[in-house]
Amino acid sequence: MSDNSNRPGSTRRDALKLGAGAAAALASARAVAQEAQGQPLLGDPALPEPSGQRTRWAIVGLGTFAVGQVMPGFGPARKSRMTAFVSGNAEKARKLGARYGVDRFYGYDNYDSIADDDAIDCVYIVLPVGLHAEYTIRALEAGKHVLCEKPMASTSAECEAMIAAAKANDRRLGVAYRVHFEPNNVHVRDRIAAGDIGAMRFVSGDHGFNANPDWPPHKWRLEKALGGGGSMYDIGIYGLNTSLMMLDGDRPVSVTATYSTPEGDPRFTEVEGGIDYRIRMASGFNVAGSSSYCWSPYLSRQRYFGSEGSIEMNPATTYYDNRIRFEKAGDAPREYVAGNAIDQFAAQLDGFSQAARTGEAHRTPGEMGLRDIRLIEAMYRSADAGGAVVEL
Ligand code: NDP
């Protein structure tokens, strides 16, 4: 048997010199060579798992995000694969099944029979928000682990019921806060934690777009029963959750908020068109944020101000293109990209697959989703009372 250990790409140092893409290709080539020589491959963490050993996922709701981002995200995943689709549109499901090699199909009427399907380990809920709680709880009761899209549900009471169902059925429950797996945001989190901008003094996050009431995926977002809430539920939650991700160990203690819905705008009879908020943190600084369904162009911006430097991300939470601007007193500002944003989708899937199979904690558990919905409910209470301080 030949020894590959002195060949290029066979050491970690070589891998770093080559870059991740080339190193992965070399690792795969090495794997094929080893397999041909009869050496065991399993247990090598550098390799994607064989298809038959991956965690198996059902996707529930085959809409814009599921088709555009979630399904392609399985391509580079290393521990996860799709085995089933749940949809109200059987023809669409079968067409997508043909594209992705998925051959198990369910509708919403026979959804509970996934309980008898041993080829499903995890369920990914990609439905409108008003349906998250019901379909999550039904999947948990069917014995499946559930990753649920953001925001977790319409109310904190629903979030609590989802967490209780996960506990009662001994299943993992995660909220799909993909930013926790996005390499640029992870990098910024680590720099802040390492003290690179000194002590945190102020954080702000601004997120918005212009809602089109004639486009079906925006139409349900403007209806309270399906959207749960308004701009803060759908887009503002990225800023809220990302800001708190950067402040691990700190805790919100009070919140004030004011609506910024344009007067007389016919889109906003059921949910808010915009909201500005300010959260007081236990360590004595503020997290400010704004969200809107009335901004153009789309905005996704995060800013972190410290005692010795600042970081701005603009865009901050997009699918493909997040950028970092780092500034420190006395140094020239530096703009850079720390990783490929697209990696976030596969990383999130594999992270949840790992939690599901080992029972270890997922990075973005149901409790995090509940925390955020409670905060947004407190914002609404404050805004309803004209900007009153709401203690948390
Ligand atoms: P879409 O409207 O495009 O898709 C929702 C899908 O849900 C529909 O295509 C349909 O799929 C199914 N559905 C079942 N019942 C209904 C109903 N009563 N009304 C409408 N759709 C229904 O929405 P999105 O894909 O934009 O959003 C889906 C979820 O993903 C939401 O929770 C949203 O917050 C989240 N999201 C997350 C993003 C992220 O970056 N993490 C980005 C965008 C969205 P079918 O025809 O197969 O039954």
Side-chain angles (χ1 to χ4, degrees):
M1 234 177 273
S2 66
D3 177 5
N4 290 329
S5 62
N6 60 355
R7 293 190 185 148
S10 61
T11 66
R12 182 168 155 69
R13 199 172 30 172
D14 284 329
L16 290 173
K17 267 194 283 182
L18 285 164
L26 272 166
S28 294
R30 181 162 57 96
V32 172
Q34 281 181 332
E35 193 169 39
Q37 291 158 15
Q39 293 179 17
L41 299 177
L42 305 182
D44 185 341
L47 296 174
E49 290 177 351
S51 174
Q53 292 178 15
R54 296 185 185 199
T55 298
R56 298 155 305 172
W57 289 69
I59 312 298
V60 185
L62 312 183
T64 318
F65 186 64
V67 174
Q69 275 71 43
V70 172
M71 293 181 191
F74 279 89
R78 302 162 78 84
K79 300 180 178 184
S80 317
R81 69 183 170 106
M82 294 185 284
T83 49
F85 289 153
V86 180
S87 174
N89 182 333
E91 193 191 339
K92 173 174 64 173
R94 286 184 192 281
K95 277 188 184 157
L96 286 163
R99 182 186 300 174
Y100 285 106
V102 167
D103 59 3
R104 314 175 93 79
F105 302 102
Y106 295 88
Y108 301 115
D109 43 357
N110 67 348
Y111 177 62
D112 298 311
S113 59
I114 62 173
D116 304 321
D117 193 335
D118 290 340
I120 300 172
D121 307 304
C122 295
V123 166
Y124 192 156
I125 305 291
V126 207
L127 294 165
V129 183
L131 303 172
H132 285 185
E134 177 191 339
Y135 284 85
T136 293
I137 291 170
R138 285 167 66 181
L140 291 165
E141 287 176 348
K144 310 302 179 186
H145 305 282
V146 178
L147 181 65
C148 177
E149 259 310 323
K150 48 54 61 180
M152 184 170 171
S154 298
T155 64
S156 54
E158 285 185 349
C159 297
E160 285 162 8
M162 293 157 82
I163 291 168
K167 288 208 171 100
N169 292 284
D170 191 22
R171 301 288 88 181
R172 301 283 79 70
L173 171 60
V175 179
Y177 287 127
R178 58 183 168 74
V179 175
H180 289 248
F181 299 86
E182 196 281 311
N184 295 286
N185 280 279
V186 169
H187 170 86
V188 166
R189 182 199 65 193
D190 292 346
R191 290 200 77 163
I192 290 171
D196 287 1
I197 60 168
M200 189 62 79
R201 299 294 189 229
F202 181 61
V203 176
S204 83
D206 305 293
H207 294 255
F209 63 89
N210 204 16
N212 175 358
D214 299 322
W215 190 47
H218 283 186
K219 190 171 177 295
W220 65 255
R221 284 168 162 84
L222 301 174
E223 298 167 10
K224 190 160 171 50
L226 283 175
S231 68
M232 195 58 216
Y233 262 60
D234 185 56
I235 185 78
I237 197 165
Y238 290 99
L240 173 66
N241 184 268
T242 304
S243 294
L244 296 179
M245 164 185 166
M246 303 299 174
L247 305 173
D248 201 22
D250 212 333
R251 167 176 71 79
V253 291
S254 65
V255 62
T256 56
T258 315
Y259 294 119
S260 59
T261 305
E263 278 299 317
D265 190 320
R267 291 175 294 179
F268 306 115
T269 55
E270 299 191 23
V271 300
E272 94 279 357
I275 195 165
D276 306 328
Y277 64 88
R278 192 164 282 261
I279 299 170
R280 183 86 177 149
M281 300 299 289
S283 60
F285 64 91
N286 295 324
V287 173
S290 60
S291 73
S292 182
Y293 272 157
C294 311
W295 290 346
S296 197
Y298 169 87
L299 179 72
S300 155
R301 182 180 67 183
Q302 289 288 123
R303 292 184 291 181
Y304 309 95
F305 298 88
S307 56
E308 293 165 29
S310 69
I311 296 174
E312 174 164 348
M313 293 190 70
N314 187 11
T317 63
T318 64
Y319 303 150
Y320 313 115
D321 179 31
N322 299 320
R323 307 189 65 77
I324 300 161
R325 180 183 164 92
F326 184 87
E327 229 172 319
K328 204 151 190 167
D331 292 344
R334 190 173 156 232
E335 289 193 32
Y336 64 102
V337 171
N340 194 343
I342 193 79
D343 292 346
Q344 63 191 304
F345 297 102
Q348 176 173 252
L349 293 167
D350 284 344
F352 192 76
S353 289
Q354 176 73 11
R357 63 174 76 164
T358 61
E360 68 197 40
H362 182 55
R363 206 179 288 177
T364 58
E367 286 76 7
M368 181 182 283
L370 168 63
R371 175 203 67 188
D372 292 351
I373 295 297
R374 281 185 177 148
L375 277 166
I376 297 174
E377 287 176 340
M379 288 174 199
Y380 287 162
R381 283 203 300 281
S382 171
D384 287 344
V389 176
V390 173
E391 303 293 338
L392 300 166

